[in-house]
Amino acid sequence: MKKIIYGFLTLMLLSSSSFSYAQTTKEQRKERQELAKASKKDLNEKASKAARKEAKRLAKEGWKTAPGALPLEKQLDKSYMMQYQFDADGFPQYIMAEAMSVGGNYDAAKMQALELAKQNLSGQIQTEITALVENTVANEQMNQSEAASITRSVMAAKNLISQSIGRVVPVVETYREVNGNNREVLVRIAYSQDMAKAVAKKAVQKELEDRGDSLHNKLDELLGW
């Protein structure tokens, strides 16, 4: 009798699991279809006036997009929209960075431009964390000695922050021919503000810990992370 009950329960669990998996798969498929539909609608919509104006200016300067890429005005439109996305506290959801590089071929120039853009991002993250430290001092939530120690770590952690930056979102990618067969590539990337904060926190904590500074244990409390 116990074997029969056990078998019945096992069958119920398997059936429930199969139904749950099928339901999840169905929901994922529906979500992907909705995203594809939204992307197609966005592609067919007219770009903003500002995006069209900037695209026209860049085109006059010789900039163009690679075959298969979105039209430049659509790329710029996406860039503008991401710049004006804010969280519940009114802070930008994305950090934007731009860089250009020249190379003998397109791929080499693009990779270098992306690396420079990431360095630009790490510089912006440093600036934001430094401003946060100064704000906590102004509000008397941190003393000058603690602030100086954390600021030193922020400055020293720039390379680590740059190396730790994960997947960025390329929103603009365009190029032009210069000096004969060389390619100059311009990229504009976006990076999640939440991810930037997490990267900065980890890098500064490591720097403080490597220096033997006990503040790494108090970083969350000091900066409100």
Side-chain angles (χ1 to χ4, degrees):
M1 184 66 178
K2 288 183 178 179
K3 290 183 179 180
I4 294 174
I5 294 174
Y6 177 77
F8 179 70
L9 289 173
T10 301
L11 182 61
M12 286 183 65
L13 287 171
L14 287 173
S15 298
S16 175
S17 176
S18 298
F19 175 77
S20 177
Y21 175 78
Q23 187 69 16
T24 301
T25 303
K26 183 179 179 181
E27 289 174 356
Q28 288 177 340
R29 186 163 56 248
K30 183 179 178 181
E31 182 180 357
R32 288 169 185 163
Q33 288 172 347
E34 288 176 351
L35 285 172
K37 186 178 179 180
S39 298
K40 186 176 181 180
K41 180 182 177 183
D42 181 61
L43 182 61
N44 291 331
E45 286 181 350
K46 194 174 184 179
S48 67
K49 184 177 179 180
R52 296 198 308 272
K53 184 177 180 180
E54 186 178 358
K56 188 175 181 180
R57 177 183 64 80
L58 290 171
K60 285 183 178 179
E61 295 175 1
W63 295 97
K64 51 190 174 182
T65 57
L70 284 173
L72 190 52
E73 60 268 23
K74 295 301 296 182
Q75 294 186 41
L76 293 167
D77 210 25
K78 181 180 179 181
S79 173
Y80 293 154
M81 286 190 291
M82 294 184 79
Q83 288 180 64
Y84 289 103
Q85 290 183 31
F86 300 91
D87 61 21
D89 297 317
F91 292 101
Q93 287 189 350
Y94 296 96
I95 301 176
M96 312 293 291
E98 184 177 286
M100 291 186 292
S101 182
V102 178
N105 62 71
Y106 184 89
D107 290 337
K110 176 184 173 181
M111 291 300 293
Q112 180 63 19
L114 283 171
E115 186 58 36
L116 291 172
K118 283 188 177 183
Q119 291 179 22
N120 186 324
L121 273 179
S122 65
Q124 291 186 58
I125 293 170
Q126 275 187 318
T127 300
E128 290 197 14
I129 301 304
T130 301
L132 180 59
V133 170
E134 292 173 353
N135 186 59
T136 57
V137 172
N139 293 330
E140 298 182 352
Q141 296 171 301
M142 186 190 305
N143 62 49
Q144 292 287 352
S145 176
E146 292 172 332
S149 183
I150 292 176
T151 299
R152 282 199 304 272
S153 293
V154 172
M155 294 300 104
K158 182 176 181 179
N159 287 336
L160 182 57
I161 291 173
S162 181
Q163 293 167 11
S164 301
I165 289 175
R167 182 175 177 271
V168 296
V169 181
V171 289
V172 176
E173 182 182 322
T174 181
Y175 77 99
R176 62 182 174 183
E177 298 171 0
V178 294
N179 302 325
N181 293 324
N182 288 333
R183 300 288 185 274
E184 182 176 25
V185 176
L186 180 151
V187 296
R188 188 177 297 169
I189 61 177
Y191 196 60
S192 162
Q193 188 76 252
D194 290 339
M195 291 175 69
K197 186 186 293 185
V199 165
K201 174 183 172 181
K202 186 176 180 180
V204 174
Q205 280 183 326
K206 186 178 187 309
E207 182 63 29
L208 286 167
E209 191 172 358
D210 288 347
R211 282 173 32 207
D213 195 323
S214 61
L215 282 177
H216 70 88
N217 291 319
K218 294 179 62 180
L219 199 60
D220 282 6
E221 177 187 343
L222 291 170
L223 297 183
W225 282 344

